[in-house]
Amino acid sequence: MILNALIFMNGFALVIGLLIIFMDRVISNYGLCRITINDDKEFHAQGGKSLLRLLLENKYFIPSACGGKGTCGYCKVKVLEGGGPALPTEALILNSREQAQGFRLSCQLKVKNDLSIEIPPEYLEIQEYRGELSLAELVTSDIKRIRIKLVEPQTLTYKPGQYVQIRIDHDGETDFRAYSMASNPDKQGEIELNVKRIPDGLGSGYLHSLELGAPLDLSGPYGDFYLHTDSDERIVCVAGGVGLAPLKSIVMYWRDHQKHRRLELYYGARDLPDLYDHDIFTSFAETYENFHYYPALSDAGDDWNGHTGFIHMVMEECLETGNTGEAYLCGPPIMIEAVTEVLTNKGIAAERIWYDKF
Amino acid sequence: MRFLLILFASILTSNIALTYFLGMCPFVTISRNIGVAAGMGIAVTCVMTITATANWLIDHYLLIPMGLEFLQFLVFIVTIATIVQLLELVMDRYTPTLHQAFGIFLPLITVNCAILGISLFMVLRTFSFWQTVVYSFGSGIGWMLAIVTMGALRRRLVFADPLANFGAAGITAILAGFMALAFIGFSGMASL
């Protein structure tokens, strides 16, 4: 009886499994689909996969921070023909205006027929790079400074504040994770990332485990968070923890090209060991009269005689009111919200505030 | 006559949602919006009819001849999961608009206890093939009737201002209780 039952259940499972595989092959075969980009370029690809994946496979790099799960919203593209209405999963990210204009999240749009899409022209500039790890050092207990020497192509041109996506192959799948570049854009042959170790995090686990000389694949540059050089007004930079990375790039660029503008760097961390690169900015503040540095610790020890508390409280106290200018924010969402409120109260226009939440 | 009786009983007097209180999770969460509730109801009716029929065939032509009736529970679950999966594949391919409207409900239905309940009830009640078809279809319609009515009632809640302490789920359960009382009123007319 038990043998009978075992044979039956195994046979049943086998038949069902084969049936599903067979149906999947036969039914979900959408044939070749033509994808037209900006009415200019086009390629053919086997349908049935997400648009994001097909674009990546054909070397069109679309930003995506969540790995195709439909949560970050970076991969939205305008679908001119063949897309259909947005799925309920997309309605959480795309507002009704975007939906009416035909925007879709490319990671959620399954390609079943010919498509015509429109993507920002700067996405077409994004390239793939092969590099190798040239430096990896712990700068705090959980943040690593990682430098990548570019091998092929050898130079990456980017604006200070932009990010790259690191390709991670694991368990037979390919994922991408976004990291801001913390390096001086003038040094095009090598980029620096600051990576905070997240427990069980895919990207940080991978980057923290790499040995010197290890090969890496990445693409970039991505992002509309970068220093705008069209004005001579002051720059306010606000960093929370590892959010310092893109702002460090901005500061380096400022030193080489924009020194005539006033730059204020507000940098919040938990305690002194977490305030990495503190000495660099201290020496900058001594050297350049236009550089103003406000580090703040939320959990300071007795050996600290600088600002204490959260960074938005320090800004409330130190930031001059009525002064125009622009602001660049990078840190956790709660910090961005609090700081944005302080900035608008102090007279900085909302459209001159750029931020990068993580 | 017997078929009509089964149909009537499964929709009203032995309503799967309100007499047996099966399939309560979607009943409470999805009844917030009447349009979505109707969509879910249609999806449940289709899946219920197809799975119960398939399970009857498997039961009568495989399990009973082999003396493996004790596997019913396991086999029924596997059948339901497979059929939902296949249905989703077919809908996605051939009726994209329908998939757009009902596709999101299908995975939810796989774990809906009302679906499994109907398959098990049809065994307990020793229905014939056509009786099973009628019974499962009627139960699906009954579940849809219950959830759509609940959706309509909950729209009225906006004006009723119930005690905040009940919460959304609490007041829905109380409403379901009242509805069940009303449905019991039919029980003199027919029962299974």
Side-chain angles (χ1 to χ4, degrees):
Chain A
M1 180 65 95
I2 292 173
L3 191 69
N4 241 346
L6 274 176
I7 293 172
F8 175 80
M9 275 320 278
N10 281 314
F12 191 62
L14 186 71
V15 169
I16 295 231
L18 287 176
L19 183 71
I20 291 184
I21 293 174
F22 175 73
M23 295 287 269
D24 197 38
R25 284 278 160 80
V26 175
I27 295 178
S28 301
N29 185 351
Y30 293 92
L32 272 187
C33 300
R34 189 182 69 235
I35 296 174
T36 315
I37 299 164
N38 295 358
D39 279 332
D40 173 28
K41 299 184 163 62
E42 65 169 45
F43 65 87
H44 289 83
Q46 194 69 31
K49 290 185 194 167
S50 76
L51 177 62
L52 178 66
R53 196 146 287 274
L54 289 186
L55 287 169
L56 287 178
E57 283 172 7
N58 288 280
K59 309 282 179 210
Y60 290 96
F61 298 97
I62 306 290
S64 160
C66 65
K69 294 186 185 66
T71 53
C72 73
Y74 289 0
C75 68
K76 71 178 176 202
V77 298
K78 193 170 183 175
V79 181
L80 305 173
E81 262 170 62
L87 298 177
T89 40
E90 295 166 66
L92 299 169
I93 306 281
L94 301 170
N95 60 37
S96 47
R97 204 170 116 204
E98 287 171 325
Q99 288 182 37
Q101 287 173 342
F103 278 100
R104 297 286 310 265
L105 294 185
S106 60
C107 67
Q108 301 295 305
L109 172 57
K110 193 168 160 186
V111 178
K112 298 174 190 168
N113 41 270
D114 294 351
L115 285 177
S116 172
I117 62 169
E118 194 180 292
I119 58 179
E122 59 263 28
Y123 287 0
L124 299 172
E125 311 272 310
I126 297 170
Q127 282 187 53
E128 234 178 346
Y129 294 85
R130 172 154 274 266
E132 59 181 41
L133 196 78
S134 53
L135 174 102
E137 60 175 17
L138 276 172
V139 287
T140 75
S141 59
D142 55 1
I143 299 174
K144 242 184 185 177
R145 187 197 310 283
I146 286 172
R147 287 216 180 102
I148 301 167
K149 189 176 177 309
L150 299 173
V151 179
E152 182 62 45
Q154 292 189 338
T155 56
L156 168 59
T157 310
Y158 60 97
K159 294 175 185 160
Q162 287 193 303
Y163 66 92
V164 290
Q165 300 222 91
I166 305 284
R167 178 188 160 126
I168 303 158
D169 292 309
H170 65 105
D171 310 324
E173 282 183 49
T174 301
D175 266 306
F176 298 88
R177 287 293 183 272
Y179 290 95
S180 291
M181 288 175 276
S183 34
N184 187 339
D186 290 350
K187 291 186 186 151
Q188 295 178 334
E190 190 174 58
I191 58 168
E192 177 183 318
L193 314 177
N194 298 157
V195 182
K196 181 171 174 159
R197 169 118 217 178
I198 312 286
D200 298 324
L202 177 66
S204 65
Y206 170 73
L207 287 170
H208 273 242
S209 70
L210 287 181
E211 306 272 340
L212 275 186
L216 275 162
D217 286 313
L218 55 97
S219 60
Y222 295 95
D224 47 14
F225 179 81
Y226 53 79
L227 181 68
H228 293 249
T229 50
D230 56 350
S231 87
D232 281 334
E233 292 178 288
R234 72 162 167 182
I235 306 163
V236 179
C237 293
V238 190
V242 75
L244 178 70
L247 300 171
K248 202 176 140 189
S249 179
I250 289 180
V251 168
M252 295 300 174
Y253 184 85
W254 166 88
R255 181 193 61 183
D256 294 344
H257 303 278
Q258 299 259 299
K259 255 196 323 258
H260 57 285
R261 298 171 72 179
R262 179 186 167 91
L263 191 147
E264 297 174 23
L265 174 64
Y266 294 84
Y267 177 21
R270 203 175 58 240
D271 48 24
L272 195 54
D274 273 355
L275 204 68
Y276 70 97
D277 288 340
H278 173 57
D279 42 347
I280 297 180
F281 301 123
T282 317
S283 77
F284 267 38
E286 284 163 10
T287 320
Y288 308 106
E289 61 168 326
N290 265 341
F291 187 86
H292 302 266
Y293 179 43
Y294 305 91
L297 300 180
S298 60
D299 198 2
D302 297 333
D303 50 346
W304 177 253
N305 48 18
H307 297 284
T308 53
F310 291 113
I311 198 71
H312 67 279
M313 289 142 69
V314 176
M315 293 177 69
E316 191 79 65
E317 186 187 318
C318 304
L319 190 73
E320 286 168 45
T321 310
N323 205 337
T324 50
E326 56 199 38
Y328 300 90
L329 283 48
C330 185
I334 190 157
M335 181 204 97
I336 304 279
E337 274 167 42
V339 169
T340 308
E341 200 187 320
V342 174
L343 287 169
T344 37
N345 287 345
K346 296 259 183 186
I348 293 189
E351 64 270 17
R352 299 297 283 177
I353 300 176
W354 287 277
Y355 57 79
D356 204 354
K357 275 186 203 177
F358 59 80
Chain B
M1 198 58 207
R2 175 91 174 120
F3 287 119
L4 221 71
L5 201 72
I6 291 177
L7 185 68
F8 189 73
S10 55
I11 295 176
L12 292 173
T13 52
S14 303
N15 188 293
I16 192 80
L18 295 171
T19 342
Y20 296 100
F21 280 85
L22 287 176
M24 284 319 273
C25 346
F27 184 72
V28 171
T29 48
I30 308 226
S31 59
R32 244 171 303 195
N33 176 314
I34 192 163
V36 182
M40 181 77 178
I42 293 170
V44 164
T45 309
C46 295
V47 172
M48 215 174 243
T49 315
I50 297 170
T51 54
T53 311
N55 278 337
W56 189 93
L57 292 171
I58 289 171
D59 192 40
H60 278 253
Y61 293 105
L62 287 173
L63 294 178
I64 294 176
M66 291 172 84
L68 296 172
E69 290 96 328
F70 60 91
L71 284 178
Q72 276 161 351
F73 200 89
L74 270 177
V75 171
F76 288 178
I77 293 177
V78 175
T79 319
I80 292 169
T82 314
I83 286 177
V84 171
Q85 178 100 41
L86 292 180
L87 213 57
E88 196 177 1
L89 279 177
V90 171
M91 273 172 75
D92 194 15
R93 180 76 175 105
Y94 297 108
T95 55
T97 36
L98 209 63
H99 185 257
Q100 193 87 29
F102 299 130
I104 47 162
F105 302 120
L106 286 174
L108 293 174
I109 290 172
T110 317
V111 289
N112 186 330
C113 45
I115 306 276
L116 181 62
I118 292 301
S119 285
L120 295 172
F121 284 156
M122 68 88 183
V123 172
L124 281 179
R125 289 171 183 160
T126 60
F127 282 143
S128 72
F129 178 76
W130 288 109
Q131 283 173 334
T132 302
V133 174
V134 171
Y135 173 64
S136 51
F137 176 72
S139 297
I141 296 287
W143 196 86
M144 180 158 91
L145 180 71
I147 193 170
V148 170
T149 317
M150 177 58 88
L153 283 176
R154 288 183 75 172
R155 256 210 323 213
R156 306 276 151 188
L157 275 184
V158 180
F159 308 106
D161 196 19
L163 276 181
N165 298 24
F166 283 148
I171 194 74
T172 310
I174 291 171
L175 277 180
F178 288 139
M179 280 170 66
L181 283 177
F183 272 67
I184 284 175
F186 292 107
S187 60
M189 301 172 73
S191 67
L192 280 175

